[in-house]
Amino acid sequence: MAVTVHEQRDLDGAYLHSPRDLIRPELGSDRAVRDHLLKLFLQDATARHRAPRSDTYTADQVRAWLGVLAAYLNTNAATGRTVAGRALSGTDLTLHELWPVAGSHRPRIAHLALVAGVFLGGAVLGIWGLGIELSGGAVLTMAVALSALGLTYVFAWPVPSRLDLGRLRTPQGRRTAAFWLASTLMPSVGLPFLGGRVAEGTLSVVDPRVLVRVSLTSGLVVGLRAGLVFVLGATEFAAGSAPITVGIVVGIMLAPAAGSVGSAGMRYLSLLLCTRRGPRALPWRLGRFLQWATHAGLLRGAGIAHQFRHRELQDWLADPANRP
């Protein structure tokens, strides 16, 4: 770290820092020398690596955001914290599993509110667009669906889900797709979809953001499918050619689709909503920031997770006295 810091030069080729600074009287202890080097190391890493696209990061922002994550990891390691019976990592920063940074309940409540809002908004829009009058059956349908959405809160650790379009290359995959399409037109067939749950680490992932993206994409596709089922069923009901049970079945189908598929991505969005300001503030494009910090040498990739490259850096950032 000392070599990295003292090799930095300005545009004219002059060294930015002198090793003589390490023997100044105010740096009379190992801790003082360590803190001095870590501060310069972070400042130089920020200056050397421009942020992607239009984002720009200052040294103070980097220290503040990484400090929040470092304090979270150190607290987990020191206290052995658990959420829903699962021990929180003291080293790994995995995007879809970082939601406890904002607390054990707030992100889950935000997740439930997001899903319920999307469902209610779509249902109200469909009822209004089709001119369906609210009845006891319609209210019951929505009540059952909202109750099913409660699973969004209960499942504390949603696993990323995806639609594997690559399976269309095989005969079995094409048969599954045909069944999937048929089930869209005939709600009673069920709610299968291509692909399924993505177990942690099972994918060869270069960019950890991929898991969040495929989860959100899966939720969008399945949500559009469920919406189509809702429109078809509601149209039949409005025409008087289908019993009220059609509406109830459609509502029950909508809830699991919105509440389970894409949950990992939705939980990540909930984390971002809950960390907009305050002592736990994080950047809106958190995944992009972690990728930048990895390229800058502050973090390192570890499969689908990020880790601090130096444990000393993690410990230093975790101390509130070293944050802006």
Side-chain angles (χ1 to χ4, degrees), residues 94-100 102 106-115 118 152 158 209 211-220 258 261-277 282-287:
T94 307
L95 284 181
H96 66 278
E97 295 184 348
L98 278 179
W99 60 266
R106 287 182 60 208
R108 294 159 74 178
I109 294 173
H111 182 184
L112 178 60
L114 280 174
V115 176
V118 170
T152 300
R209 293 174 293 179
L211 289 180
V212 173
R213 290 171 180 169
V214 297
S215 179
L216 289 173
T217 302
S218 300
L220 176 62
V261 180
S263 286
M266 291 292 285
R267 187 62 59 83
Y268 171 68
L269 291 179
S270 300
L271 163 67
L272 299 182
L273 290 174
C274 293
T275 53
R276 298 285 23 91
R277 56 178 58 89
L282 292 171
W284 177 250
R285 293 182 174 92
L286 177 58

